[in-house]
Amino acid sequence: MSSTSKSSARVYTRRGDDGTTSIIGGQRVMKNDARIEAYGTVDELNAAIGLLQAMTNDSFLDNVQQSLFEVGCSLADEKTNTPPLDIVGIEHEIDKLSTDLPPLRNFVLPGGTAAAAQAHVCRTVCRRAERRVVELAERSGIVSPNIMEYLNRLSDYFFVLARHLNFIEGAPEKTWSKSCR
């Protein structure tokens, strides 16, 4: 495409300048609507995973990104059925990554290698996505429990993945030495 040719589809529409956006079906809602917050945070998680995947080249993360896009579609349209999400597959990955890890004795602080730190970012964004989905479920009553279970297990996966990434690189885990009591 030459630098002088014009694109036929603009990215900007200006329709959201008033703080609203369209959801599937054409209805306009505020951009801080619980549905927008839920699938927007899932989208944010997917972007964070994209960075982690670029750092690790882990093919399992490709599958997670595909599943999260389906979750986002389901959250964006209450009429969309949530496809079965592979919670057992996540549990299998957690078990596989955990086999060589030392037992936990302290709270783990985010850090270590850059990839492990990014896995912790994914974990915390995943937890926020889970909270947003729970809020949407409380308000609408139309969220599949499968989505909440998937996000809960996925955040566990990112915690174990962070520990695993530090372990295989020989990076010491940062731990919190105090107590909450």
Side-chain angles (χ1 to χ4, degrees):
M1 178 182 267
S2 80
S3 61
T4 59
S5 67
K6 293 182 181 178
S7 174
S8 61
R10 295 181 306 180
V11 172
Y12 58 92
T13 63
R14 298 184 178 121
R15 289 190 301 265
D17 292 351
D18 65 352
T20 64
T21 191
S22 293
I23 58 174
I24 294 175
Q27 178 186 1
R28 302 288 297 173
V29 298
M30 296 304 294
K31 290 183 178 183
N32 64 349
D33 181 86
R35 183 167 305 285
I36 306 302
E37 283 288 335
Y39 74 72
T41 308
V42 169
D43 184 42
E44 183 182 347
L45 171 60
N46 219 336
I49 293 170
L51 179 57
L52 179 60
Q53 203 280 335
M55 298 168 94
T56 64
N57 204 27
D58 184 338
S59 62
F60 182 74
L61 294 173
D62 289 331
N63 298 332
V64 170
Q65 285 189 295
Q66 292 291 326
S67 294
L68 286 175
F69 211 85
E70 292 175 8
V71 166
C73 288
S74 179
L75 294 171
D77 182 8
E78 60 192 34
K79 295 178 184 119
T80 300
N81 290 330
T82 305
L85 297 167
D86 191 12
I87 296 164
V88 172
I90 293 174
E91 291 172 346
H92 174 73
E93 286 294 311
I94 290 170
D95 293 342
K96 184 173 83 173
L97 295 174
S98 297
T99 56
D100 294 330
L101 294 178
L104 283 172
R105 304 210 187 288
N106 297 83
F107 286 105
V108 175
L109 298 173
T113 66
Q118 183 61 27
H120 279 292
V121 169
C122 292
R123 174 185 58 79
T124 60
V125 175
C126 189
R127 287 285 188 214
R128 182 161 26 93
E130 184 181 11
R131 292 189 304 270
R132 297 297 183 259
V133 168
V134 167
E135 180 180 3
L136 176 60
E138 285 179 344
R139 289 181 182 203
S140 72
I142 308 177
V143 175
S144 167
N146 194 28
I147 292 175
M148 291 185 280
E149 186 178 354
Y150 182 80
L151 291 173
N152 186 41
R153 203 70 79 254
L154 188 59
S155 64
D156 295 336
Y157 164 76
F158 286 120
F159 176 76
V160 173
L161 178 61
R163 294 191 70 219
H164 173 77
L165 291 169
N166 278 334
F167 180 78
I168 63 173
E169 292 296 324
E173 280 187 322
K174 291 174 62 177
T175 58
W176 188 51
S177 59
K178 302 199 183 218
S179 172
C180 290
R181 296 178 206 171

